[in-house]
Amino acid sequence: MQPNKRKNQSKGWFFFVCVKFRIIKEGAFEREATGIHALLREENMNAANYLCGKGGCQRYLEDREELMKLHLLHTNDLHGHLEHWDVIRTFLIDRQDTYRNLNEPVLTFDIGDAMDAVHPMVEATQGKVMVDIFNEARYDKVTLGNNEGLNFTKETLAALYQAADFDVIIGNLRDGRTQEPLPWAKPYDFIEVDGLQVLVIGLTAPYQTYPLNGYLIQMPDYALGEIFKQTHKEQSADLTILLSHLGIRTDRKLAQQFPELDVILGAHTHHVLVDGEEVNGVMLGAAGRYGEFVGEMTLTYDAPKHNWSIEAKAHSIEQLAERYKLPVQNDRYRAKGEAYLAEKIISTQSPGLYVQELSGQHSFIHFALEAIMQETNLDLAVLNSGLFLSDLPEGHVTAKQIHEALPHPMHLAVIEMQGWQLLELLEEMDSQAEDLLYQMINGLGFRGKIFGELVWSGISYHDVSQNWSVHSRPIETDAIYRFATVDHLWFLPFFPSIDRYGQPELRFPKFLRHVVQEHLNTLYTD
């Protein structure tokens, strides 16, 4: 925070400065600081002053009751990337042990989008691996990202979090049927830390598709205002922390709108705030994505002034790996997850389905089009070839092979249009076909590289008549047409007609790969 928030702090800072600048530079902060603290507990001032500097530790003893330190450790947007987890876990546990040995409280948070079934172990365990490793790393609180909220059912999350040693904090997501807070989560929580009341609130990005998964979603500013109305009736907070899976722009807006906030730990937009960012006296922190950074804040409370000073840092995984002499990447969970998925046989008589074949009996994309039409009971469908990342072999096919071919967390979408609206969409698709063929795509559920070619089942273009037709009949401008696809085509900016006219109806909870898997199992298994 700004210097005026730290000026005239009590002399206890001498101890912190002496440790930080004299001992850290020698690479032995944890060991030396713990030793100093032990000497202070024994009141062995001669030995302690030798390490701290003459008179420094005496000042520390005199002022320690006026200053309290609280440490925050935070991760966000892991998205099932466990290749850095050994380093992250080592850092978190090391920091927790170090600060607790100094009698300085520490809280550990995750800010959502930890679970992502793109990782085979997350897919194989339906997210349980993430709960297990968070338990192992002693997390205190987590909030939900859209990956947890939209890609797992309420029932799945309820079962998963029963085994959690941490609390789930989510203030703007409620049960869609009862409109009450989720029974397995809390909208907010108070934590008592050295006699101070720390209020922790969680919020997630308000996707309009949440009702399809059985939730009532509230806008963040409304939910936060309601929470403050409630908490003000209960007790006053000495510190308020927001776990925000909302994105950097919303975080800055909320910091301006709600001066009650002291800290916002951010996520969703994968931003990194290396040294934090202060907005309206609120300290923002964020640690990027995929475990490439781990966030840390040190908060010092000046009791006589009722004032917090806050320092923020995002540690890069490369720096931490070097510190702990660990490899930067070591995903020991991937092989185990792949082995679990490989044990599950989906088909014993697969004809062989190939990515490069866009038509015919062995076309992977046409088989998928048949599968989603069967699932939605429709006779029109469209998908893009970039969704299909690898072939499915002839004969036996496992869940591992399907997961590798279709890792995307995409739901089916049913879109309804009048004929003239459908023609407008087809012209949008045709006019961009060449550009989209090798268009790089990132995010919005896509886990491949390029968009590829759009392939329809039931709709075709006739070069001679230069007309589009549905099952060999010209499209009637006033007729109603319904077709199946994936939500990804709606989320992309390339086809505005879908959003303008289509009234997309998403189908939960199955992903595209689950629909393909079931169709393959039904048709080609003994």
Side-chain angles (χ1 to χ4, degrees):
M1 284 190 170
Q2 295 297 328
N4 66 329
K5 293 251 180 173
R6 291 200 293 266
K7 67 181 180 180
N8 299 321
Q9 274 188 331
S10 68
K11 302 171 185 176
W13 264 104
F14 183 89
F15 172 73
F16 175 73
V17 171
C18 119
V19 170
K20 183 173 183 181
F21 291 103
R22 180 174 176 178
I23 299 175
I24 280 187
K25 70 178 183 180
E26 297 172 8
F29 167 65
E30 291 83 357
R31 182 176 64 256
E32 298 281 1
T34 303
I36 290 171
H37 189 75
L39 292 169
L40 289 171
R41 286 201 309 269
E42 298 166 5
E43 297 191 6
N44 188 340
M45 296 307 301
N46 289 334
N49 278 329
Y50 175 78
L51 290 176
C52 272
K54 188 173 181 180
C57 294
Q58 181 62 47
R59 297 190 193 99
Y60 168 65
L61 280 176
E62 292 170 355
D63 295 337
R64 62 189 297 183
E65 293 185 0
E66 295 185 356
L67 286 178
M68 188 273 283
K69 283 195 191 316
L70 170 63
H71 303 275
L72 309 180
L73 306 173
H74 56 102
T75 55
N76 61 271
D77 294 287
L78 293 176
H79 284 281
H81 280 256
L82 300 180
E83 62 268 25
H84 304 313
W85 182 250
D86 284 350
V87 179
I88 295 170
R89 183 192 63 247
T90 300
F91 170 73
L92 293 177
I93 292 176
D94 181 47
R95 275 292 197 256
Q96 292 163 1
D97 289 345
T98 296
Y99 293 135
R100 284 166 183 158
N101 286 337
L102 291 167
N103 284 343
E104 295 176 358
V106 56
L107 297 172
T108 306
F109 303 112
D110 183 76
I111 322 299
D113 273 7
M115 296 182 193
D116 192 323
V118 68
H119 192 286
M121 192 63 169
V122 178
E123 172 80 353
T125 64
Q126 277 292 283
K128 184 177 182 297
V129 64
M130 302 308 298
V131 174
D132 290 344
I133 66 175
F134 280 6
N135 284 343
E136 183 183 68
R138 309 171 191 164
Y139 277 73
D140 295 288
K141 313 280 183 188
V142 307
T143 195
L144 301 180
N146 45 286
N147 267 267
E148 288 89 2
L150 291 174
N151 294 338
F152 296 84
T153 65
K154 288 186 302 179
E155 294 74 21
T156 297
L157 292 182
L160 285 174
Y161 290 132
Q162 279 186 346
D165 297 332
F166 50 85
D167 296 318
V168 179
I169 309 296
I170 182 68
N172 65 327
L173 208 56
R174 293 179 170 240
D175 186 281
R177 184 178 60 83
T178 67
Q179 299 193 3
E180 295 294 325
L182 299 167
W184 40 268
K186 303 176 182 179
Y188 59 88
D189 198 18
F190 280 97
I191 308 172
E192 185 173 340
V193 178
D194 283 3
L196 299 179
Q197 291 298 323
V198 178
L199 172 60
V200 180
I201 303 168
L203 297 174
T204 196
Y207 280 78
Q208 66 188 69
T209 50
Y210 269 112
L212 297 171
N213 208 20
Y215 293 104
L216 169 69
I217 184 70
Q218 296 175 331
M219 295 304 291
D221 52 352
Y222 170 80
L224 191 54
E226 292 299 301
I227 288 171
F228 280 134
K229 288 179 186 177
Q230 180 63 32
T231 57
H232 289 164
K233 297 176 185 176
E234 296 178 12
Q235 58 183 305
S236 61
D238 298 295
L239 177 74
T240 301
I241 301 170
L242 174 61
L243 311 182
S244 166
H245 197 87
L246 299 171
I248 182 64
R249 293 178 62 184
T250 304
D251 290 349
R252 289 169 177 155
K253 176 183 174 183
L254 292 178
Q256 294 285 356
Q257 189 175 351
F258 293 95
E260 300 99 319
L261 295 169
D262 296 292
V263 171
I264 298 178
L265 302 180
H268 189 48
T269 44
H270 299 179
H271 54 290
V272 183
L273 300 177
V274 175
D275 297 306
E277 177 183 319
E278 186 192 356
V279 178
N280 193 34
V282 181
M283 181 60 80
L284 278 56
R289 63 174 190 173
Y290 305 162
E292 294 168 352
F293 292 84
V294 183
E296 180 173 18
M297 287 191 183
T298 296
L299 297 82
T300 304
Y301 184 66
D302 188 331
K305 297 182 181 298
H306 301 288
N307 183 49
W308 290 95
S309 62
I310 306 175
E311 301 224 354
K313 179 71 176 175
H315 303 276
S316 77
I317 202 68
E318 289 81 9
Q319 292 172 328
L320 297 179
E322 183 177 354
R323 177 187 301 181
Y324 296 111
K325 309 302 182 200
L326 292 170
V328 174
Q329 296 195 24
N330 179 28
D331 190 350
R332 55 195 173 91
Y333 298 94
R334 178 168 292 278
K336 189 179 294 186
E338 289 174 346
Y340 288 154
L341 293 176
E343 291 175 359
K344 186 176 181 180
I345 304 299
I346 303 304
S347 172
T348 57
Q349 298 178 337
S350 166
L353 299 172
Y354 306 114
V355 171
Q356 296 299 322
E357 295 193 23
L358 300 185
S359 61
Q361 180 185 359
H362 298 284
S363 167
F364 196 169
I365 192 169
H366 263 283
F367 183 84
L369 289 166
E370 291 173 6
I372 68 175
M373 288 189 293
Q374 176 76 24
E375 179 73 16
T376 57
N377 197 29
L378 297 173
D379 61 355
L380 301 175
V382 62
L383 293 170
N384 55 300
S385 63
L387 296 173
F388 301 85
L389 306 188
S390 58
D391 300 332
L392 296 182
E394 185 177 350
H396 281 67
V397 174
T398 67
K400 172 180 178 289
Q401 291 165 320
I402 291 180
H403 182 265
E404 290 172 343
L406 292 168
H408 329 281
M410 295 181 184
H411 297 101
L412 302 192
V414 173
I415 297 173
E416 181 176 295
M417 289 181 161
Q418 287 185 274
W420 67 270
Q421 297 166 342
L422 177 59
L423 287 169
E424 186 173 323
L425 172 63
L426 291 168
E427 289 302 322
E428 287 175 352
M429 291 179 168
D430 188 54
S431 65
Q432 299 177 87
E434 189 174 338
D435 293 333
L436 290 176
L437 194 58
Y438 298 105
Q439 174 69 48
M440 301 292 290
I441 303 293
N442 183 41
L444 300 175
F446 187 69
R447 302 294 186 259
K449 293 183 178 180
I450 61 171
F451 182 86
E453 184 175 344
L454 284 161
V455 178
W456 280 90
S457 178
I459 293 182
S460 57
Y461 183 76
H462 296 274
D463 291 324
V464 176
S465 62
Q466 295 187 341
N467 286 320
W468 293 95
S469 64
V470 171
H471 297 301
S472 302
R473 295 183 177 180
I475 294 176
E476 300 176 27
T477 57
D478 293 330
I480 300 296
Y481 298 92
R482 288 165 57 86
F483 64 90
T485 186
V486 286
D487 55 13
H488 183 63
L489 289 193
W490 175 30
F491 298 153
L492 288 170
F494 306 129
F495 313 116
S497 292
I498 294 178
D499 197 45
R500 188 182 305 126
Y501 309 125
Q503 302 175 352
E505 172 193 328
L506 300 192
R507 300 292 178 91
F508 279 72
K510 297 175 186 176
F511 292 156
L512 173 62
R513 66 172 167 272
H514 301 142
V515 174
V516 170
Q517 180 173 297
E518 290 176 5
H519 195 55
L520 189 65
N521 179 262
T522 300
L523 294 182
Y524 298 111
T525 301
D526 291 333

